[in-house]
Amino acid sequence: MLRSLLSLVAMAGLAAAHFSIEYPTWRADSLENSNYSQYVFPCANVPQGAWSDNRTDWPTTGGSLSLDLHHPWTYVFVNVGLGENVTNFNYSLTPSFWNETGSGTLCIPHLDLPAGLEPADGQHATIQVVTLGESGTALYNCADITFRKSGVSNFGGGNCTTSAGVSYSVVNQETNGTTTSSGGGSSTTSGSASTTTTATTGTSAGASKGVNMTVLTSVVALAVAFMYGMSA
Ligand SMILES: *[C@@H]1O[C@H](CO)[C@@H](O)[C@H](O)[C@H]1NC(C)=O
Ligand SMILES: *[C@@H]1O[C@H](CO)[C@@H](O)[C@H](O)[C@H]1NC(C)=O
Ligand SMILES: *[C@@H]1O[C@H](CO)[C@@H](O)[C@H](O)[C@H]1NC(C)=O
Ligand SMILES: *[C@@H]1O[C@H](CO)[C@@H](O)[C@H](O)[C@H]1NC(C)=O
Ligand SMILES: *[C@@H]1O[C@H](CO)[C@@H](O)[C@H](O)[C@H]1NC(C)=O
Ligand SMILES: *[C@@H]1O[C@H](CO)[C@@H](O)[C@H](O)[C@H]1NC(C)=O
Ligand SMILES: *[C@@H]1O[C@H](CO)[C@@H](O)[C@H](O)[C@H]1NC(C)=O
Ligand SMILES: *[C@@H]1O[C@H](CO)[C@@H](O)[C@H](O)[C@H]1NC(C)=O
Ligand SMILES: [Cu+2]
């Protein structure tokens, strides 16, 4: 029994070993090279400059993100660090992290930058995407960007499509303890128009610290999930 449970977990681990960043272009295909592993913090063991500069221009006001995900569901965190060779991903673009459902492309037309992050034109930075599975296994990928004040349009319209059956909810963290928990009462609304939710957030999990399942679990215990319908 234990043995079969363990092998199930091992298989789930293998199946879990992949997601990709479609936009902005990732630092490298972290599945292609045997030296790379998405299990490795912070950037799947893909060194800075592994490939000749694959930086994508990205608006200083925030921009688009497209991911290819392959799990029934996963938590998603998006962080940014400034510099040429980033080790400190200390800005979170998902202070309320996501609970993504479905296999396929998830495209976000516009991600806002957090208050306090006002990059200069030409500032180099790296976007780090962390997914966290049910078992607590974290996977990492990075995309190098150059912030641009003008001349970059969002990766929008027909280029930013989300697969049918892929959606995400925003998990609202309220570390203050004043928000009541509503557990798993949400339902997936696939294909409906997006609604906007204002969420008060406490501290951001997943940013720069790596992800600690103990912390996440306690966050989840306080979580209120708001459903976003992503139209395909
Ligand atoms: C780097 O960017 C070029 C041009 O967009 C692309 O052809 C190449 O596949 C990219 N490299 C990786 C590792 O994604
Ligand atoms: C992995 O890294 C080693 C040492 O840097 C290098 O010799 C080898 O060619 C790399 N393997 C691949 C597939 O790039
Ligand atoms: C980036 O930083 C890492 C860790 O400090 C270091 O090992 C690596 O050599 C640096 N790479 C470049 C291209 O500067
Ligand atoms: C984030 O880190 C960068 C350099 O690593 C630093 O300059 C900046 O002040 C930090 N910002 C915050 C909000 O911690
Ligand atoms: C995330 O979604 C999965 C699948 O729908 C669900 O089992 C899990 O409880 C959700 N987590 C949170 C914090 O809502
Ligand atoms: C998709 O991207 C291409 C190249 O960046 C651009 O020329 C085209 O207008 C975009 N299409 C839409 C519908 O946004
Ligand atoms: C908790 O939230 C309430 C209402 O938003 C606020 O008045 C209070 O200052 C917060 N307490 C802490 C410790 O953040
Ligand atoms: C996770 O965080 C908790 C509470 O802050 C701490 O006690 C625990 O040691 C951490 N675990 C890991 C693996 O960092
Ligand atoms: Cu996977």
Side-chain angles (χ1 to χ4, degrees), residues 26-112:
W26 54 357
R27 183 175 292 177
D29 182 342
S30 57
L31 298 165
E32 206 173 50
N33 183 309
S34 56
N35 287 342
Y36 303 157
S37 165
Q38 295 188 3
Y39 292 112
V40 179
F41 174 91
C43 292
N45 210 31
V46 183
Q48 171 60 44
W51 298 82
S52 56
D53 228 2
N54 258 3
R55 277 181 196 280
T56 304
D57 288 344
W58 215 66
T60 50
T61 49
S64 317
L65 176 73
S66 182
L67 306 175
D68 198 11
L69 300 147
H70 296 278
H71 285 237
W73 64 274
T74 188
Y75 299 121
V76 180
F77 303 82
V78 184
N79 304 314
V80 166
L82 299 181
E84 184 65 33
N85 182 9
V86 179
T87 50
N88 185 15
F89 293 86
N90 57 349
Y91 295 95
S92 173
L93 304 194
T94 51
S96 301
F97 61 92
W98 306 336
N99 190 357
E100 182 274 341
T101 307
S103 181
T105 303
L106 173 66
C107 192
I108 313 297
H110 184 91
L111 265 177
D112 283 328

Side-chain angles (χ1 to χ4, degrees), residues 13-219:
L14 281 179
H18 61 286
F19 79 94
S20 57
I21 305 179
E22 304 286 324
Y23 185 88
T25 306
W26 54 357
R27 183 175 292 177
D29 182 342
S30 57
L31 298 165
E32 206 173 50
N33 183 309
S34 56
N35 287 342
Y36 303 157
S37 165
Q38 295 188 3
Y39 292 112
V40 179
F41 174 91
C43 292
N45 210 31
V46 183
Q48 171 60 44
W51 298 82
S52 56
D53 228 2
N54 258 3
R55 277 181 196 280
T56 304
D57 288 344
W58 215 66
T60 50
T61 49
S64 317
L65 176 73
S66 182
L67 306 175
D68 198 11
L69 300 147
H70 296 278
H71 285 237
W73 64 274
T74 188
Y75 299 121
V76 180
F77 303 82
V78 184
N79 304 314
V80 166
L82 299 181
E84 184 65 33
N85 182 9
V86 179
T87 50
N88 185 15
F89 293 86
N90 57 349
Y91 295 95
S92 173
L93 304 194
T94 51
S96 301
F97 61 92
W98 306 336
N99 190 357
E100 182 274 341
T101 307
S103 181
T105 303
L106 173 66
C107 192
I108 313 297
H110 184 91
L111 265 177
D112 283 328
L113 300 186
L117 176 54
E118 290 168 3
D121 188 35
Q123 170 72 56
H124 285 182
T126 299
I127 294 174
Q128 177 197 48
V129 180
V130 185
T131 68
L132 184 67
E134 190 174 12
S135 65
T137 306
L139 300 174
Y140 303 91
N141 272 310
C142 291
D144 300 312
I145 59 169
T146 303
F147 281 111
R148 293 292 178 198
K149 275 218 186 322
S150 60
V152 201
S153 50
N154 277 332
F155 175 76
N159 288 325
C160 188
T161 55
T162 291
S163 303
V166 173
S167 64
Y168 72 100
S169 60
V170 174
V171 180
N172 184 27
Q173 302 167 60
E174 180 54 89
T175 52
N176 185 316
T178 54
T179 301
T180 51
S181 164
S182 80
S186 40
S187 62
T188 305
T189 50
S190 185
S192 69
S194 299
T195 52
T196 308
T197 306
T198 309
T200 40
T201 58
T203 57
S204 65
S208 74
K209 306 177 206 49
V211 177
N212 178 323
M213 201 53 198
T214 309
V215 171
L216 182 63
T217 305
S218 63
V219 164

